Amino acid sequence: MALVFLRLLDYLGATGSGSSGIPQRVVCAQGESTGLLKVLMIVAFFAAGWLEIISILFRPVSLSFRLYGNIFAGENMLETMSRMVPGLGWLLPIPFYFMELLVGLVQALVFMLLCAVFTLLMCPPEEKGSVNAHG
């Protein structure tokens, strides 16, 4: 699921700002500066941009590990509870099945929230003109 989402996000980011738009937005300095401050901003944005690119590359790994780890932990817990007391292996895990449903719901919400945040980071909303706050 993470790979499908992030490939779709790459496609949306490339079509929204062009294939060179994302690296330019991530690595190049933003804003109006002159002199030494401009040089410092270029260096800072270049270094931070490469960290952001590494972060973008590791997003599918982190999302996949999060989903896999929670599913694996739940299955191990259910297996352990079913083997704790011989003869009652069918009864002990029943409350934990309901907890697994709750954990699955929470993980789906967390995955959805992370996907929404990653989408907002890659495809920022377009600004519609300059609005003057003072009237």
Side-chain angles (χ1 to χ4, degrees):
M1 287 189 322
L3 287 175
V4 168
F5 166 72
L6 289 164
R7 292 301 70 96
L8 178 65
L9 187 60
D10 290 341
Y11 172 74
L12 290 174
T15 58
S17 59
S19 59
S20 66
I22 293 173
Q24 184 178 7
R25 191 181 74 233
V26 170
V27 178
C28 295
Q30 309 289 321
E32 302 293 326
S33 305
T34 58
L36 181 61
L37 182 60
K38 183 171 184 145
V39 173
L40 289 174
M41 292 296 286
I42 289 171
V43 171
F45 269 91
F46 188 75
W50 281 106
L51 289 175
E52 181 66 22
I53 289 171
I54 291 170
S55 167
I56 290 169
L57 293 175
F58 276 102
R59 285 177 186 170
V61 174
S62 68
L63 284 174
S64 299
F65 281 176
R66 175 187 304 277
L67 291 174
Y68 173 76
N70 285 304
I71 291 171
F72 184 72
E75 290 297 319
N76 276 343
M77 183 185 63
L78 291 174
E79 182 71 23
T80 302
M81 295 310 278
S82 67
R83 292 181 181 211
M84 275 181 78
V85 180
L88 290 179
W90 61 275
L91 183 62
L92 273 163
I94 290 177
F96 295 96
Y97 279 113
F98 293 111
M99 191 171 79
E100 274 301 300
L101 287 173
L102 180 64
V103 167
L105 176 68
V106 168
Q107 286 306 309
L109 291 173
V110 167
F111 186 82
M112 179 190 66
L113 179 68
L114 287 173
C115 289
V117 168
F118 291 159
T119 303
L120 183 64
L121 289 174
M122 288 295 287
C123 306
E126 295 180 12
E127 297 178 17
K128 296 188 178 182
S130 177
V131 177
N132 190 355
H134 297 289

